[in-house]
Amino acid sequence: MKILLEELPHQLEALQALDEAFYGLDERTTDPDKDYVYANPIIKGRGNENTNIDIKMETGTGKTYVGVRAMYDLHQKYGLFKFIVVVPSPAIKEGWKNFITADYAKQHFSQYYENTQVNLNVINAGDFNSKKGLLPAHLVEFIEGDRLNSSTIQVLLINAGMLNSSSMKKDYAQTLLSGWTSPLEGLKATRPIVMIDEPHRFPRDKANYKSITAVEPQMIIRFGATFPDVKVGRGRQATLVKDYYRKQPQFNLNAVSSFNNGLVKGIDVYYPNVTETDAKDRYVVDSVTSKQLVLKNGSTTYTYSVGEDIGFDGDIYYEGAKMLSNGLELEKGMAFLPATMTSSYQELIIRDAIEKHFEAEIPNFMRENDYQPKVKTLSLFFIDSIKSYRDEKGWLKELFEKHLRRKVEALIREFRLKKLPREQEYLSFLQATLADLTKNVHAGYFGEDRGSGDEAIQAEVDDILKNKEKLLSFKDEKGNWQTRRFLFSKWTLREGWDNPNVFVIAKLRTSGSENSKIQEVGRGLRLPVDENGHRLLQDELSSKLRFLIGYDEKEFANKLVAEVNADAIVKLDETKLTSEMIQLIIEKTDNLDEETLLEQLDTEGIIKRNNDFKENGFEKLMDLYPILTETTKVKKGKITTGGLKDKQRIKLNKENWQKMRHLWEQFSNRYMLEFDRVNDEALQLLIDEMIHNKDNFTLQYPEFTRNELYYHDENGEMRIREQTANYDSRKPMTGMKYGEFLLKLTQRTKLKPAQLHKSLLSALKETYHGNINYLNELTLANLVRDFKERFEKRYAQSFRYQALDFQASTSVFDVATNDFKEDILATVIGVNEDNDVRDDGRQLYEIPPLRYDSVNPERELLKRGYDSTILSFGKLPKKAIQVPKYMGGTTTPDFVYVVEREDQSHVYLLVETKAEGSGKRLSDEQIVAIQEQFFGTLKEHGIEYQEATTAEEVYAKLRKVAKLHDN
C-alpha cells in the first residue's frame, strides 16, 4: 500500500496563517552581502524576536506536514532555501527524516511545487569523529549549497544536543565557504530559517535554545502542541504563562477543537480494579537519593539501601540512582500501590489489552460492507523491563504469547462457522496470525537496540521506525499476510514516532511523572488510514484509542479532560456574558452582529442590562448557541474512563422500520449525479463576472508587532505595550508571477487555463496597470470563493439523479441479508441523552434513553405525543440514505415520519432540521436544495420533504400531508 497524503483544511489554514505572519523580503536592505549565493535572501525584521512565528497544532494533526510544506511555500514565494530543523531527540529526528524522504510525501508535494526537491542533510552523533579533523559531509553540503540551483531546498536536520555540542564550535582543518573553519560560523553565514519541533523542550533560558540563537537565524518558526512556560511578575503575584512569540500563536489549533471536530481519535481509558484493601495500601516517596530510598505508608516510614528488597510481590528492590529494579523512576512525592507493581497485575492489563485490540480489529477489518477497504489495527505496549520481553524465556513475552494464542484460537473457532466473504477472509488472517505468532506477530523497539548487531532485532526496529507502509499493509507483494501488529517499547516511542493505526496503547508501567497527558496518548491520536492509504475522517470511521493504565493512574481521564479544556482559547464565565464569549458567537454564526445578539438574548430573558446572566441564563445560552461549549469544552464521550457509560449501541425497533421497508429498498439503490452541460459561453460569462469584481483584487501588506518596554508606577514592574501595524504601508508584498498565479487559480477552480487567461490578462493590464502585486494569496482566495459561490448559486439545480443497477448497504439496512440491522452506534443518532421519555411504541429505536443533538427542535420533535395518523417516527442516523452531494460526499435528512392518510395509504415525510437563530451557511442551502431535488424524483413512492427550523413547521407539514387533498 501507499499512504495518500491529502490536503486537510486545518493544515491549509495553518499554512495561510504562517504566510500572513511572515513579513516578506527586505527589498530595501543596504547589506552588501544581500546577494550572497550561499545564504538565504534577507527578510524583513531578520533576527528580531517579533519576526518569529508560533504554529500551535495538537498532537496527531499534522505538524510535520505543515512544517515541510512551509519550506516548499517559502521557497516558492520568496526564494528561501536554507532551513535548519532542530528537534529534541533522535526519535523525533527519525520521524522528520522518514517523512521528508518518503516517496508518498515527495509525490504529494510535487503536485503543488513542480520540479522542486528537498536535499536533506542529517547530522548524527559520531559524524564529527574523523581522525583527519574533517567536517561531516552532510554539514558541508548544507552550508555550501547555493542559490544557483533554484529548484533545490537545502534542509539540515539536527537534534538539540548535537547543535549544542562542542563539535559545532571548534575549528577544523577543513575550510567552509573559503573562510570558515568552525561549523557554527559556517551556519551563521547561510542566514538560515530555523524550525523547532516540540518547543516545550526548548525553554528560552536553557542551553539548547541558546544554541539555536547562536546560529543567528533570520527567523525561528516553532511547531508544537505544547509551548514552554515563563514566569511573569514577582513574589506571590508571580504566575506561569505560556511563552509565545508575539504573545500568542499565529495559528492555534487547540486540543478542544481537535477532539470536537474529529481531527484526532477519541480516547477511552481503562484500568484494572484492585481490592479496597490494596487501594488503601498507598506508599509515598518521602525522600530518595542515589543511595537511599525512604517510603511512607500512612504514619510509618521505611528506609531502604541499594540492593535491598522493598518487600512487594515481584522481587522488587531499590536499584539506586532513584530507580527500582523494575525500571520505575522515583521522585519525592510520587505515590503508588504495591498491588499495581506485580506481574499478576501486569497480566490483567495484557489480557485486557488483547481483548481491546480485537474489539477494534474485527469491525475495522469487516467495515460496514464489503465495498469498504479494510483497516489494519495496531497495538502498542510500553513496558518496564527489556529483558522480560527480549530474553528467549522472558516472562512478559511468554505471558503475552499465551494470552494472544488463547484469543486467536477462540476467534478461529468462531469464524470457522461464518460464511460471508469478508468473514472467511478474516479467518485466513487469523490462521496466518496463529502460525506466525512467535516470529512475526509482535515486535519490539528499545533504545538499546540501536547497533546491537542482531539482524532479527534490527529488522524489527526498521519495520517499526521506518517501514510505516509495511505495518499498515495486510499483504506483501507476494500476497502473503502481514501479521505484525503488536509493538513493544520502553517509552522510546513516546515522542517523535507515530503510526495512524494504533488503536490500543497499554502502559504496563507508570510514566513516573506529571508529564502532559496529551503527550502520553499522542502516539495513538492520529486518524487512521485504510488499506488503500486513504485517511479516514471520523464520519467515515468512528475511531477511538483504547488507553490501558494501572490503577494508580485511575484519574488519568479526568486529568486529560482538564488539560484539554485548559487549552481552549476562550474560557466560559457562568455568571456573565463576556466580550470573548460574544465575539466567539459572532465569529461562528453567519449574519449576526453584536447588537442583534444582545437584543435577542435580552428578549429571551437570558441576560440583564449589564450582561450578567439571569436565573438559568447561562444554561439557556448554551442551548441556544451550542458553539460555545463546542469550542471551549471537549464533548461528552470524546474522552472516557471505561468506555461510554451510555449505551454504545442502540437496538432498532424493527417492527416500526418494517413499515417503510420498500422505501429503504429504494434508498439502498445507488444513484449517480448527472449534470447539465454548462456551455463555454455561459462559463466565460461567469469567469468575467468573477475577474471584474474589484472587491476580489487586493494588495497584501506585511505586518509587524511593536513592543514598548515601560515602567509601571503602581506595582513597580516593567511592562510591555504592544501594537500591531503594517510593516511598510507604502510597499505591498511582492505578488506571484503571472504563470504561477494562473496555474494556482486553474487548480483550485478546475477551469481551463485558456478561459481564465482571456479574462485575467485583460483585467490585469486595463484595471490594475500590469501590477502583479495584486496576484497574491488574498486575491487568489477571493477569486476562488467568488467563483464557487456564483457557480453554485447559478447551477445548483442543473443536475439530476440517475439510478444505477446495484445496491449498497446503508447504516440501517443490510442488502446482503435484505433486512434492517439489529442495532446501530448510538453516537450516529445523537450525542446527547434524555432518559425522561415515554415510549408509546412508535419510536424507531428502543427507548429510553432518547438520543438527540440539539434541544430545539430535535428533542422537542422526539418527545412529542403525536396523534394516531403518525405510525412511526424518529431521527435518522448518519449515512442512513446517503444522497450524493454535487460538491462531494453524501447527505441524509434528520427525521422520518410514516403518516397514514384518510384513505389508509401511507406517506413518508423526510425532514431536514436546523436550530432557529443559529444562522444558515451557504452549505446548508446547498444541502436543502440537493435533498429537495433527490426526494422530488421519488414522489411516486409517497415521499414528501420539508426543511424546518422550528418544531411547529414540522407539525404543520404533518397535518397537511395527512389530508387526501390540499385545501
Side-chain angles (χ1 to χ4, degrees):
M1 67 160 289
K2 288 189 176 181
I3 296 174
L4 302 175
L5 285 183
E6 300 171 65
E7 286 186 324
L8 299 178
H10 66 276
Q11 294 168 345
L12 295 180
E13 289 170 13
L15 288 163
Q16 184 178 349
L18 192 155
D19 189 52
E20 290 172 356
F22 178 57
Y23 294 154
L25 300 184
D26 189 353
E27 305 286 358
R28 303 168 71 180
T29 181
T30 58
D31 191 317
D33 291 329
K34 66 177 182 177
D35 297 320
Y36 190 44
V37 294
Y38 300 107
N40 276 323
I42 295 173
I43 69 173
K44 290 181 179 177
R46 63 167 167 163
N48 293 333
E49 185 179 308
N50 283 328
T51 306
N52 299 337
I53 296 171
D54 279 334
I55 302 297
K56 184 176 184 298
M57 297 177 68
E58 196 44 66
T59 301
T61 58
K63 298 189 300 293
T64 307
Y65 174 92
V66 174
V68 174
R69 184 155 180 180
M71 296 179 200
Y72 280 97
D73 221 33
L74 291 168
H75 173 257
Q76 183 187 70
K77 293 174 182 175
Y78 306 104
L80 298 169
F81 74 109
K82 288 207 172 176
F83 298 88
I84 301 176
V85 179
V86 185
V87 297
S89 69
I92 296 175
K93 182 171 67 176
E94 195 69 31
W96 276 81
K97 176 185 172 183
N98 290 341
F99 182 80
I100 292 174
T101 58
D103 288 338
Y104 65 83
K106 293 177 182 177
Q107 291 170 8
H108 172 77
F109 291 124
S110 68
Q111 301 175 73
Y112 311 104
Y113 310 95
E114 195 175 355
N115 299 323
T116 301
Q117 61 183 5
V118 170
N119 183 35
L120 179 64
N121 302 279
V122 183
I123 304 298
N124 296 308
D127 286 354
F128 287 91
N129 291 342
S130 172
K131 293 180 181 179
K132 296 180 180 179
L134 298 179
L135 293 160
H138 282 298
L139 183 64
V140 175
E141 189 174 353
F142 173 79
I143 292 173
E144 296 193 343
D146 59 53
R147 293 193 214 179
L148 302 178
N149 188 350
S150 60
S151 63
T152 300
I153 301 170
Q154 298 287 347
V155 177
L156 180 68
L157 179 57
I158 188 168
N159 59 293
M162 179 59 63
L163 186 63
N164 192 37
S165 69
S166 59
S167 299
M168 297 297 296
K169 298 159 190 167
K170 68 181 184 181
D171 292 324
Y172 291 80
Q174 190 174 353
T175 303
L176 293 163
L177 304 176
S178 303
W180 312 115
T181 56
S182 159
L184 183 60
E185 295 302 319
L187 290 175
K188 284 182 188 178
T190 66
R191 295 195 292 258
I193 305 298
V194 169
M195 293 182 170
I196 298 176
D197 193 6
E198 303 289 354
H200 68 286
R201 302 274 291 271
F202 297 89
R204 287 201 249 182
D205 59 346
K206 301 298 182 184
N208 282 342
Y209 187 87
K210 292 175 182 177
S211 70
I212 293 171
T213 58
V215 304
E216 297 180 0
Q218 293 198 80
M219 176 176 67
I220 299 173
I221 307 174
R222 298 189 295 186
F223 297 91
T226 310
F227 285 74
D229 292 323
V230 63
K231 186 180 288 187
V232 175
R234 297 176 181 174
R236 293 182 179 179
Q237 302 300 318
T239 57
L240 286 177
V241 298
K242 289 298 176 186
D243 184 16
Y244 294 122
Y245 297 139
R246 312 191 200 184
K247 305 303 179 186
Q248 61 183 5
Q250 283 64 68
F251 178 76
N252 190 348
L253 178 61
N254 59 55
V256 173
S257 297
S258 299
F259 279 100
N260 288 353
N261 294 326
L263 304 180
V264 293
K265 294 189 187 90
I267 301 169
D268 290 333
V269 179
Y270 298 89
Y271 56 86
N273 286 317
V274 295
T275 66
E276 189 66 25
T277 301
D278 285 337
K280 291 179 179 178
D281 193 16
R282 182 181 177 87
Y283 283 73
V284 177
V285 179
D286 192 56
S287 67
V288 61
T289 66
S290 60
K291 296 182 179 180
Q292 188 181 73
L293 167 66
V294 179
L295 298 179
K296 282 191 80 171
N297 180 240
S299 59
T300 308
T301 300
Y302 302 89
T303 302
Y304 304 96
S305 301
V306 174
E308 193 172 350
D309 193 319
I310 64 175
F312 300 153
D313 291 340
D315 299 323
I316 299 169
Y317 60 89
Y318 183 52
E319 193 174 85
K322 298 187 176 183
M323 185 175 290
L324 296 180
S325 58
N326 67 352
L328 179 62
E329 299 171 14
L330 302 174
E331 294 290 345
K332 180 178 170 59
M334 182 187 296
F336 54 86
L337 308 175
T340 69
M341 302 174 72
T342 64
S343 59
S344 61
Y345 193 78
Q346 289 169 314
E347 184 172 1
L348 289 175
I349 299 177
I350 288 173
R351 194 169 58 201
D352 198 19
I354 291 171
E355 288 293 329
K356 294 292 183 290
H357 173 91
F358 287 99
E359 283 178 14
E361 178 172 284
I362 293 172
N364 284 349
F365 194 101
M366 299 300 168
R367 302 294 302 277
E368 287 185 6
N369 55 63
D370 289 345
Y371 299 109
Q372 294 179 314
K374 302 183 292 294
V375 177
K376 186 84 169 283
T377 301
L378 305 179
S379 290
L380 176 60
F381 292 78
F382 287 123
I383 66 176
D384 53 10
S385 169
I386 299 174
K387 286 173 63 66
S388 68
Y389 176 77
R390 278 281 184 232
D391 284 3
E392 185 177 350
K393 294 292 184 180
W395 68 264
L396 179 66
K397 179 175 69 175
E398 290 191 335
L399 195 65
F400 170 76
E401 289 179 351
K402 178 185 74 173
H403 287 291
L404 179 60
R405 186 181 301 278
R406 287 177 181 173
K407 181 63 181 179
V408 172
E409 287 174 344
L411 287 171
I412 287 174
R413 289 193 295 271
E414 176 186 340
F415 275 85
R416 276 181 177 148
L417 303 175
K418 300 190 176 185
K419 302 300 181 186
L420 293 177
R422 187 66 68 90
E423 292 170 339
Q424 286 296 299
E425 190 180 7
Y426 187 58
L427 173 61
S428 174
F429 185 50
L430 289 171
Q431 289 168 333
T433 300
L434 186 62
D436 215 12
L437 194 143
T438 61
K439 295 180 180 178
N440 193 51
V441 173
H442 60 91
Y445 169 69
F446 307 95
E448 290 86 339
D449 290 335
R450 290 192 291 270
S452 68
D454 187 314
E455 290 184 11
I457 289 178
Q458 193 56 50
E460 289 184 14
V461 171
D462 287 343
D463 278 352
I464 294 171
L465 285 187
K466 302 175 183 178
N467 299 335
K468 182 183 290 187
E469 294 175 22
K470 182 178 177 181
L471 274 177
L472 293 170
S473 300
F474 279 101
K475 292 189 175 180
D476 62 19
E477 62 277 2
K478 296 179 181 179
N480 300 316
W481 286 110
Q482 302 265 30
T483 57
R484 178 167 294 162
R485 52 203 194 275
F486 296 94
L487 310 177
F488 288 79
S489 184
K490 186 180 179 180
W491 289 127
T492 316
L493 297 180
R494 187 169 56 180
E495 291 179 346
W497 178 91
D498 72 82
N499 189 296
N501 287 21
V502 171
F503 283 84
V504 177
I505 295 179
K507 239 171 77 170
L508 300 183
R509 54 158 294 180
T510 179
S511 54
S513 69
E514 284 300 313
N515 288 336
S516 162
K517 302 307 174 190
I518 298 177
Q519 288 287 347
E520 289 200 24
V521 298
R523 301 315 96 210
L525 283 183
R526 193 176 296 274
L527 294 179
V529 299
D530 64 26
E531 61 183 329
N532 295 329
H534 168 65
R535 183 81 61 190
L536 293 166
L537 303 180
Q538 287 285 22
D539 61 351
E540 297 174 278
L541 178 72
S542 182
S543 55
K544 281 259 183 143
L545 170 68
R546 294 150 174 88
F547 192 68
L548 285 80
I549 55 177
Y551 182 87
D552 48 329
E553 294 189 86
K554 66 176 185 173
E555 293 301 317
F556 188 95
N558 292 335
K559 291 179 179 179
L560 179 57
V561 169
E563 186 178 326
V564 170
N565 289 343
D567 199 36
I569 299 173
V570 175
K571 304 294 186 292
L572 297 184
D573 187 333
E574 298 189 13
T575 63
K576 184 182 182 68
L577 180 67
T578 64
S579 58
E580 290 81 9
M581 293 163 70
I582 293 171
Q583 192 60 36
L584 180 58
I585 295 171
I586 293 171
E587 285 178 2
K588 300 294 183 179
T589 310
D590 292 342
N591 306 318
L592 186 68
D593 55 33
E594 182 173 348
E595 185 177 351
T596 305
L597 172 65
L598 294 177
E599 287 178 358
Q600 179 194 22
L601 299 184
D602 183 38
T603 303
E604 297 278 350
I606 292 175
I607 57 172
K608 302 175 183 177
R609 292 293 180 184
N610 63 355
N611 284 2
D612 284 353
F613 289 119
K614 294 182 178 179
E615 186 176 355
N616 298 323
F618 178 76
E619 290 74 15
K620 291 179 182 177
L621 180 68
M622 295 302 104
D623 284 342
L624 192 58
Y625 289 104
I627 192 66
L628 283 169
T629 50
E630 289 171 13
T631 53
T632 59
K633 292 182 179 179
V634 65
K635 288 180 181 176
K636 179 183 176 183
K638 289 289 184 180
I639 301 173
T640 75
T641 297
L644 291 170
K645 296 298 183 290
D646 309 326
K647 286 185 179 179
Q648 296 191 40
R649 300 191 71 84
I650 289 186
K651 195 169 183 181
L652 271 62
N653 189 334
K654 292 181 73 169
E655 182 181 346
N656 288 332
W657 283 96
Q658 294 293 354
K659 295 174 183 176
M660 43 186 172
R661 160 177 277 280
H662 89 279
L663 190 64
W664 244 260
E665 289 172 348
Q666 289 295 321
F667 290 154
S668 64
N669 287 329
R670 297 298 86 194
Y671 289 81
M672 177 181 68
L673 277 168
E674 192 175 78
F675 283 88
D676 291 341
R677 187 180 182 278
V678 181
N679 64 58
D680 290 344
E681 186 178 343
L683 198 56
Q684 190 64 54
L685 180 62
L686 203 64
I687 292 170
D688 291 344
E689 290 174 359
M690 168 190 74
I691 297 292
H692 290 96
N693 179 1
K694 292 184 179 180
D695 291 339
N696 289 334
F697 285 80
T698 181
L699 296 173
Q700 192 170 358
Y701 293 92
E703 292 183 342
F704 76 98
T705 302
R706 175 188 176 190
N707 283 345
E708 178 186 347
L709 197 66
Y710 73 100
Y711 185 79
H712 194 277
D713 293 332
E714 291 184 11
N715 58 18
E717 290 182 356
M718 296 300 292
R719 304 282 285 271
I720 293 176
R721 296 189 183 100
E722 184 177 291
Q723 183 183 54
T724 301
N726 286 340
Y727 200 92
D728 186 345
S729 59
R730 297 165 299 174
K731 189 171 180 64
M733 292 171 61
T734 304
M736 302 178 201
K737 294 177 181 177
Y738 180 83
E740 177 191 350
F741 186 85
L742 181 62
L743 177 62
K744 285 194 171 186
L745 189 57
T746 301
Q747 290 172 336
R748 296 193 192 180
T749 60
K750 311 298 187 217
L751 294 167
K752 296 176 182 177
Q755 292 174 310
L756 290 167
H757 170 68
K758 179 179 178 182
S759 185
L760 180 62
L761 187 62
S762 65
L764 184 64
K765 287 180 177 178
E766 296 169 12
T767 308
Y768 305 104
H769 310 294
N771 186 353
I772 66 165
N773 290 340
Y774 282 96
L775 305 182
N776 55 57
E777 287 290 344
L778 288 178
T779 298
L780 184 66
N782 290 341
L783 289 170
V784 171
R785 184 180 61 252
D786 189 5
F787 174 75
K788 286 184 176 179
E789 289 178 358
R790 290 177 188 273
F791 184 85
E792 287 163 356
K793 186 175 181 180
R794 196 165 302 180
Y795 297 110
Q797 301 301 323
S798 300
F799 65 92
R800 64 189 63 84
Y801 288 97
Q802 180 68 41
L804 302 175
D805 60 355
F806 75 92
Q807 293 182 312
S809 297
T810 70
S811 59
V812 294
F813 193 78
D814 189 344
V815 296
T817 59
N818 194 34
D819 197 5
F820 290 98
K821 296 181 178 179
E822 294 296 322
D823 55 27
I824 193 168
L825 195 66
T827 52
V828 301
I829 305 171
V831 297
N832 299 313
E833 279 193 352
D834 188 342
N835 286 288
D836 300 322
V837 58
R838 178 177 173 271
D839 184 4
D840 64 5
R842 293 182 290 177
Q843 291 269 4
L844 293 180
Y845 314 97
E846 290 188 356
I847 58 171
L850 187 74
R851 302 286 301 202
Y852 65 96
D853 284 318
S854 68
V855 173
N856 180 31
E858 283 192 11
R859 188 174 68 180
E860 186 176 344
L861 289 171
L862 290 169
K863 296 186 76 169
R864 175 82 169 186
Y866 294 100
D867 63 35
S868 60
T869 61
I870 308 302
L871 302 183
S872 65
F873 69 98
K875 193 167 186 294
L876 288 173
K878 296 171 184 174
K879 298 190 177 181
I881 300 177
Q882 299 188 54
V883 181
K885 297 190 292 187
Y886 61 80
M887 70 286 285
T890 63
T891 177
T892 292
D894 295 312
F895 284 85
V896 63
Y897 290 84
V898 181
V899 185
E900 186 174 68
R901 305 183 77 176
E902 295 168 353
D903 64 351
Q904 297 187 329
S905 63
H906 292 173
V907 179
Y908 309 97
L909 176 64
L910 292 155
V911 180
E912 176 73 13
T913 63
K914 184 164 179 62
E916 188 177 22
S918 57
K920 181 178 284 190
R921 302 179 297 274
L922 182 63
S923 59
D924 297 321
E925 295 175 0
Q926 294 166 356
I927 285 170
V928 170
I930 288 163
Q931 290 181 356
E932 284 180 338
Q933 177 106 339
F934 178 79
F935 295 118
T937 65
L938 300 176
K939 270 187 172 289
E940 63 188 82
H941 298 284
I943 293 176
E944 294 281 345
Y945 176 80
Q946 173 74 24
E947 178 201 5
T949 56
T950 66
E952 191 53 52
E953 289 176 318
V954 179
Y955 306 150
K957 182 69 174 181
L958 286 169
R959 288 191 293 270
K960 185 176 181 181
V961 300
K963 297 178 182 178
L964 279 172
H965 303 287
D966 294 340
N967 296 328

